[in-house]
Amino acid sequence: MQQHPMPVTPAKWPFFGDGLMWYLRCVLTRIAALLLIHAPLAIAQETPLKTLAEVRALSSEKAAEKLPVEVEGIVTYFDRKVENIGDPEGLILHDGTAGCYASSPLQFANREKIRPGTRIRVKGVTNPRSYFPNIMGAEMEVLGQGDLPEPRRITGGDMFTRWIDAEWVEVEAVLVGLEPGGLAFTVVVEIDGRTFKAEIPEVADAEQRVASLMQRRVRLRGVVGTISNNALQMTDRHFFVPSFDQIVPIDSISRQRIATLRTIGTLLRSDHGPDEMVRVKGVVTQLEGGGLFLRDETGSTFVQAAEGQQHPPGSEVEVEGFATVAPFRPVLRAVRIESLGEVGLPDPIRFQPANGINVSLHDERVVVDCIFLARREGLKETALQCRDGDRYFEAWLPGPNRHGRTLKTGDQVRLTGIFEVTTTRPMPRIEWADGMRIHLAGPGAVEVLRPAPWWTPERVLLAFGLALAVLIVALVWVWLLRRRIAAQAVIITEQIEKATIKDERDRIARELHDTLEQDLTGLSMQLGNLAPALDGDPELAHQRLSLARRMLQHCRAEARASVGDLRNPHLLKRSLPEAMRESLPVVAGEAALRFEVDGKPRPLRATTQNHLLRIAREAVNNAARHSQPRHIGVRLSYDSEGVTLEVKDDGKGFDATRPAPAGHFGLTGMRERADKIHADFAIESSPGKSTRIRVHLPWTSPVVHPRRRS
């Protein structure tokens, strides 16, 4: 076998002598290798990205490597008043090449100096979790105040191009509404017929400034933001506007004040277009977020207005603005609302949803009586689910869980609010209106007319459940009681069986005493009288000897029958038909035996079955011995009245009206056994004809049914 040389290893104690040098060489070699491998990468990572265009050009995979970024740019949007708990503080900046969002885990240093137009230096790393990669973990350094960059002019057709994200743009728009509840002051603008949201940092006179700009064409400057899902797919676009100064009216307000007085019912008819200013007078029926509902003698409509909350319900106002299309009825976008005084709320229109949807009631103030079913909590409203007849609908309360009274399922309530027609079809055509909802002003718009009855479905189910539980307990108790009774019955039955066996043995003992002993005594007397007759009268002696022999045979048969009563193997193991089918051929002799069973066999008491079997055996035996038959028929019939045993032969017969000859005890024994089981015994026979024996045991006999055991 080839020997391999042993490797060179250091000494046992490496920190002494040559071992120390060996380990030092190994460590230095590893350090040099690591430096050679990782030095280029470290040098590359130390070189930060210098422009925002480079950051935006990164793929999500590359941005996930958290590459360093160091850029200078101008802040285009920063809201110092917004504190979104749980999110890092952020701003949007532009460096001349592109726009980008930058966030910091802490508040920016010198944040009070940061405003739109501030020049800052940002140091951070790339973040892939955005529509375009952005900067996170940023350190901000304020360099001074500058000017906002020249905006890029766009149209509505540019709003969904990919490159416009985070860009500083200018677009012509129309302010058409106001929406509360955002992180900042949110207005609705319309660009080329499509609506977008714009967030503006809140100021003290924000509502007044929006009111002065409503329905006017403006030049809007801001940053385009992208709303995306978890897969970074674009789902919408909106604006970040740094201040109201970036919303500049285009049209002069004096030209827009030329308005025609019209009624709500004549808005947007063929003689009126959405670009014509109108004036409408009416009564405020209910306030809604972003406006109010207005009613005049021709109908009702919704008025979009920033100053809508300044005019309480019951006020008469004059609205100046533009009508625009909306489902089922035009809405009015207000430029100006002037109060004309307090006139009081008009009476609501009574409406019954069960009678069908009335489209002409859209935006009207109505009163509805219905049944409350359930409550559904939303983010912006509480929906009360109600029913009137077979029609189900919802009534909306503003805000979640604002209803002070606790409604219960089944309460009959009266709702007062604004009626809205809805449809599940793709277009809001009048013939396709198939739903409705009620907009309630507050908890006071809900009145309980009659509380729900005590027997609510829940309580009915509870009562049914309790009744079912009681029934189950009762059934279990009955079952346990039956088991207990059955167990006691078994014990009692066993005791009765033992007593019955004892009684039967005593009976058989008495029978042996009363029959066999008497027969034996008579036999002894016959034999005693036989001796004198032998000398004087041989014929008399012969007769007495013959009688003694028959008496002896009868005693022998009775003894065997009595022993069989104690333990009958046929009845112990089989039913009565099976016992007869097995035991009768033995006593039939040379005659052909035919055994038949009619009906469905029913169990009988053991002693009763034994008597019937003994009667059948005795009848077949007598027929075979005395009638010389060729055929013997045995029929055991079970019917609704009872069980019947018939034994019939085609032998020579006998005179049934005459008493049995001396020494013949078969017929007597069968009658006695029939009497013991309360059965009817009948015999039909005459010389030269067949013999028929019939035993009928009715079901009413007290010895028929067997003792039951559980």
Side-chain angles (χ1 to χ4, degrees):
M1 182 180 293
Q2 184 179 359
Q3 299 290 328
H4 294 279
M6 296 294 290
V8 178
T9 59
K12 183 176 181 181
W13 303 97
F15 296 103
F16 296 91
D18 295 338
L20 177 60
M21 297 303 296
W22 185 82
Y23 273 101
L24 287 175
R25 285 197 300 272
C26 291
V27 171
L28 292 174
T29 302
R30 286 181 174 272
I31 292 174
L34 291 173
L35 289 175
L36 290 174
I37 294 173
H38 296 284
L41 181 59
I43 293 172
Q45 290 183 345
E46 287 296 328
T47 303
L49 302 175
K50 291 295 186 179
T51 66
L52 296 179
E54 293 179 280
V55 176
R56 288 169 58 98
L58 295 174
S59 64
S60 297
E61 294 76 12
K62 193 65 177 177
E65 298 178 8
K66 298 183 179 180
L67 304 178
V69 180
E70 183 176 344
V71 297
E72 293 183 11
I74 297 294
V75 176
T76 54
Y77 185 84
F78 178 59
D79 187 359
R80 290 197 299 268
K81 292 186 178 180
V82 175
E83 296 180 359
N84 193 13
I85 299 175
D87 288 345
E89 190 169 34
L91 51 76
I92 302 173
L93 71 157
H94 200 286
D95 68 345
T97 65
C100 189
Y101 174 76
S103 63
S104 173
L106 302 174
Q107 283 193 346
F108 297 143
N110 300 321
R111 68 189 306 273
E112 68 279 355
K113 297 182 180 180
I114 300 175
R115 60 180 53 88
T118 302
R119 177 171 290 278
I120 62 173
R121 178 182 291 114
V122 176
K123 294 182 180 180
V125 295
T126 56
N127 173 35
R129 299 304 301 165
S130 182
Y131 184 67
F132 276 107
N134 56 35
I135 305 170
M136 69 176 182
E139 298 177 5
M140 307 288 182
E141 179 184 355
V142 177
L143 303 179
Q145 191 65 27
D147 296 324
L148 287 168
E150 187 67 22
R152 179 177 295 185
R153 295 181 179 274
I154 65 170
T155 64
D158 299 324
M159 280 300 297
F160 291 99
T161 55
R162 61 183 301 273
W163 56 266
I164 204 174
D165 177 73
E167 285 294 325
W168 176 248
V169 301
E170 179 181 283
V171 64
E172 291 188 6
V174 178
L175 265 69
V176 296
L178 172 66
E179 288 195 4
L183 297 178
F185 201 84
T186 304
V187 297
V188 182
V189 298
E190 184 179 278
I191 303 173
D192 294 343
R194 179 164 185 149
T195 57
F196 297 91
K197 308 294 175 62
E199 291 189 355
I200 310 173
E202 290 192 11
V203 292
D205 60 344
E207 290 190 4
Q208 290 76 12
R209 300 191 68 170
V210 170
S212 66
L213 295 171
M214 286 292 288
Q215 311 307 324
R216 300 181 63 182
R217 295 190 61 78
V218 298
R219 186 172 287 110
L220 182 146
R221 292 179 179 180
V223 178
V224 177
T226 301
I227 300 176
S228 59
N229 58 20
N230 291 334
L232 304 183
Q233 298 169 305
M234 182 194 308
T235 57
D236 204 355
R237 282 275 167 81
H238 62 109
F239 289 97
F240 293 106
V241 180
S243 69
F244 279 98
D245 296 335
Q246 303 301 324
I247 305 177
V248 181
I250 298 175
D251 298 334
S252 63
I253 194 168
S254 59
R255 185 174 65 84
Q256 292 183 342
R257 283 295 178 91
I258 304 173
T260 304
L261 182 63
R262 301 187 72 96
T263 61
I264 293 175
T266 61
L267 294 177
L268 293 189
R269 286 190 176 177
S270 59
D271 60 342
H272 172 230
D275 55 344
E276 301 175 29
M277 182 175 284
V278 295
R279 288 183 298 122
V280 176
K281 292 182 180 181
V283 180
V284 178
T285 55
Q286 188 167 306
L287 301 180
E288 188 87 358
L292 53 85
F293 288 95
L294 189 69
R295 179 179 180 183
D296 67 5
E297 67 277 5
T298 63
S300 296
T301 189
F302 180 68
V303 177
Q304 292 181 346
E307 55 178 324
Q309 302 297 322
Q310 301 175 9
H311 306 281
S315 302
E316 185 179 18
V317 297
E318 181 180 83
V319 180
E320 207 170 62
F322 298 89
T324 187
V325 294
F328 298 108
R329 177 160 294 183
V331 300
L332 191 60
R333 294 175 176 175
V335 173
R336 179 185 62 86
I337 301 179
E338 180 182 350
S339 180
L340 303 179
E342 183 73 23
V343 297
L345 274 171
D347 293 334
I349 300 173
R350 180 163 294 278
F351 174 64
Q352 292 180 323
N355 294 337
I357 303 300
N358 188 350
V359 180
S360 64
L361 294 180
H362 186 72
D363 288 345
E364 292 284 0
R365 184 169 179 262
V366 299
V367 59
V368 177
D369 293 345
C370 57
I371 302 298
F372 171 73
L373 301 177
R375 177 187 288 103
R376 178 177 59 84
E377 300 292 345
L379 295 177
K380 296 183 179 181
E381 75 283 331
T382 298
L384 307 181
Q385 298 173 341
C386 305
R387 173 180 61 84
D388 179 44
D390 294 332
R391 185 171 296 278
Y392 296 83
F393 62 95
E394 288 187 344
W396 286 7
L397 279 165
N401 200 18
R402 296 280 182 86
H403 192 242
R405 184 186 296 107
T406 302
L407 294 176
K408 298 180 180 179
T409 300
D411 283 350
Q412 184 177 358
V413 297
R414 175 168 293 168
L415 308 176
T416 304
I418 300 300
F419 180 79
E420 179 190 359
V421 179
T422 62
T423 179
T424 56
R425 300 293 188 93
M427 296 181 65
R429 297 173 61 173
I430 293 177
E431 60 269 24
W432 286 351
D434 54 10
M436 56 167 283
R437 68 173 62 98
I438 306 294
H439 293 264
L440 306 174
V446 181
E447 177 187 359
V448 177
L449 301 178
R450 187 173 66 247
W454 190 89
W455 285 105
T456 61
E458 293 79 7
R459 289 173 177 169
V460 170
L461 290 177
L462 178 61
F464 177 75
L466 292 176
L468 183 61
V470 171
L471 178 61
I472 292 174
V473 170
L475 291 177
V476 171
W477 180 79
V478 170
W479 178 72
L480 292 175
L481 182 62
R482 288 176 62 89
R483 287 195 61 185
R484 181 67 177 173
I485 294 174
Q488 294 293 333
V490 169
I491 296 174
I492 295 172
T493 301
E494 290 177 351
Q495 293 176 351
I496 293 174
E497 291 288 347
K498 291 178 181 179
T500 301
I501 292 174
K502 181 178 180 302
D503 293 343
E504 188 68 12
R505 287 177 175 174
D506 293 341
R507 181 191 64 76
I508 294 174
R510 288 193 300 271
E511 282 189 3
L512 293 176
H513 177 271
D514 296 339
T515 58
L516 291 179
E517 184 175 358
Q518 293 178 5
D519 290 341
L520 291 174
T521 301
L523 178 61
S524 176
M525 293 176 62
Q526 291 293 334
L527 293 176
N529 295 329
L530 180 62
L534 289 175
D535 296 334
D537 191 350
E539 184 178 354
L540 179 61
H542 178 74
Q543 292 177 356
R544 290 179 177 176
L545 183 61
S546 177
L547 179 60
R549 184 180 62 186
R550 288 194 298 271
M551 292 178 66
L552 182 61
Q553 290 176 348
H554 178 70
C555 290
R556 183 180 178 184
E558 286 296 323
R560 288 179 178 176
S562 298
V563 173
D565 283 342
L566 292 176
R567 186 174 183 181
N568 193 317
H570 300 294
L571 294 180
L572 284 177
K573 298 180 181 180
R574 296 172 179 83
S575 65
L576 178 60
E578 292 174 343
M580 286 186 177
R581 186 175 284 110
E582 182 175 344
S583 63
L584 293 182
V586 178
V587 295
E590 297 181 357
L593 178 70
R594 182 179 181 181
F595 178 71
E596 296 178 352
V597 179
D598 292 339
K600 184 178 181 180
R602 292 173 57 176
L604 303 173
R605 188 174 296 185
T607 54
T608 303
Q609 292 190 155
N610 180 59
H611 284 302
L612 290 175
L613 177 62
R614 292 287 298 276
I615 292 173
R617 286 173 57 88
E618 185 67 29
V620 172
N621 181 57
N622 284 347
R625 292 178 57 190
H626 303 295
S627 294
Q628 299 176 358
R630 289 179 300 173
H631 301 88
I632 300 176
V634 179
R635 181 185 298 273
L636 188 63
S637 302
Y638 295 86
D639 55 26
S640 59
E641 300 295 330
V643 57
T644 303
L645 172 66
E646 289 186 355
V647 180
K648 185 177 181 180
D649 64 69
D650 57 356
K652 61 183 182 180
F654 66 96
D655 188 358
T657 60
R658 298 178 60 185
H664 293 272
F665 309 101
L667 293 177
T668 302
M670 286 187 283
R671 284 194 176 93
E672 289 178 354
R673 291 187 181 277
D675 291 340
K676 289 179 181 180
I677 60 176
H678 304 276
D680 298 328
F681 181 85
I683 182 169
E684 298 176 3
S685 182
S686 59
K689 295 184 179 180
S690 62
T691 301
R692 178 175 175 267
I693 295 176
R694 184 178 183 274
V695 180
H696 176 69
L697 176 65
W699 297 125
T700 56
S701 174
V703 296
V704 170
H705 301 289
R707 297 182 178 92
R708 298 184 179 274
R709 293 189 181 185
S710 300

